[in-house]
Amino acid sequence: MARRCGALHFSRASGRETLENQVVLRYATTMTIEISRMPAESPGLSDLAYERLRDRIVRVEIPPGAPLAEDRLSEEFGVGLTPIRNAVRRLSYEHLVSIYPRRGTFAADINIGDERWLTEVRLEIEGLSAQLAAERATEAERNKLLHLAEEIKTTTDNAGVTDLDAAFHRQIFLAARNPFLESSANLYFNLSLRIWYFCNQSFTISDTRGADQYAVASAIARRDAQGARKAACEHLLNASRTLRGLLGA
């Protein structure tokens, strides 16, 4: 006996179920749920629009509170309105876009006071990311992290240091090999990163820049999981103290 409901297929035949290149969730001895792979509408274009709009908002190229005109973004990015609307909806879930009925859509405001709360969350998420990266990263990824840390040490402009630090963190999230963790880590990291870009012109680059990142990269390179977690947390706490000291918070 089989029953089909939209994208979900429920099948029961002679006490056994067969896989048809589908994802299977077994919740009983004689039944499976098969989740069909439904074709998404222009997933590549939606992802492209999301990444470009996200980066412009995070880098404060679109200022906090600025209106977002979908038709203008569609023309600028060279995509249709549907990918733009998908990107805007996704960014609203990530607190980078604010949607007000009957008023419009805007780049979200920046609340400097959120930094402390974001750091509290990131300590747990990014500590775990570094720990897993030490266990799971490829040799190429370990070398890339060391290279990024060295680049941070020799970069002399604020935006360049922030760009490299962003690449460093995202590489760790990727090397952790956990897509759910990577998604969560990027969400909170983007919000923190936006504060750093916003304050970029207000701080002087430290002579010790890159030291924290190198400590994290070195621990990951030698597969020291707990050492990587500790170094990542120290890096976040040092960055938080620096930013709050700069802002007098």
Side-chain angles (χ1 to χ4, degrees), residues 91-247:
L91 290 166
S92 72
Y93 297 149
E94 298 179 3
H95 309 289
L96 290 169
V97 165
S98 298
I99 301 174
Y100 300 101
R102 296 182 298 278
R103 284 184 53 198
T105 302
F106 304 85
D109 291 335
I110 291 179
N111 186 344
I112 302 298
D114 290 347
E115 188 278 333
R116 186 187 298 271
W117 295 339
L118 289 167
T119 298
E120 288 176 350
V121 176
R122 290 177 64 204
L123 283 170
E124 301 302 322
I125 293 176
E126 296 196 32
L128 177 58
S129 295
Q131 176 182 332
L132 293 177
E135 297 169 352
R136 301 172 179 176
T138 65
E139 202 62 35
E141 288 170 331
R142 298 174 201 274
N143 291 333
K144 184 174 182 179
L145 286 169
L146 289 168
H147 177 70
L148 285 168
E150 290 288 359
E151 277 196 280
I152 292 172
K153 288 182 178 181
T154 58
T155 300
T156 57
D157 64 287
N158 289 343
V161 169
T162 307
D163 289 345
L164 288 168
D165 185 61
F168 180 83
H169 283 263
R170 296 195 200 284
Q171 182 61 58
I172 292 174
F173 305 157
L174 179 65
R177 296 292 186 280
N178 183 319
F180 298 102
L181 181 62
E182 181 182 1
S183 176
S184 296
N186 272 306
L187 189 156
Y188 295 107
F189 176 65
N190 287 334
L191 294 170
S192 292
L193 184 61
R194 191 172 181 229
I195 296 175
W196 275 99
Y197 276 117
F198 184 73
C199 298
N200 250 348
Q201 303 307 314
S202 303
F203 67 88
T204 302
I205 295 180
S206 170
D207 291 337
T208 61
R209 65 188 177 279
D212 282 355
Q213 290 90 338
Y214 192 80
V216 178
S218 296
I220 291 174
R222 63 176 182 268
R223 293 176 166 78
D224 180 0
Q226 291 306 312
R229 183 175 193 132
K230 181 180 178 182
C233 289
E234 289 177 351
H235 170 43
L236 291 180
L237 289 172
N238 287 338
S240 179
R241 281 191 289 265
T242 298
L243 188 59
R244 284 189 280 115
L246 174 70
L247 300 170

Side-chain angles (χ1 to χ4, degrees), residues 16-60:
R16 293 184 60 188
E17 286 71 37
T18 60
L19 293 177
E20 301 173 352
N21 195 29
Q22 309 293 337
V23 179
V24 176
L25 303 175
R26 185 173 300 275
Y27 66 95
T29 57
T30 60
M31 183 172 286
T32 63
I33 301 176
E34 297 177 4
I35 304 176
S36 295
R37 294 174 181 171
M38 301 297 288
E41 181 180 352
S42 301
L45 293 179
S46 292
D47 289 342
L48 173 65
Y50 163 78
E51 290 171 4
R52 290 189 63 183
L53 185 54
R54 177 203 64 195
D55 289 348
R56 290 195 60 193
I57 292 172
V58 168
R59 291 176 61 87
V60 201

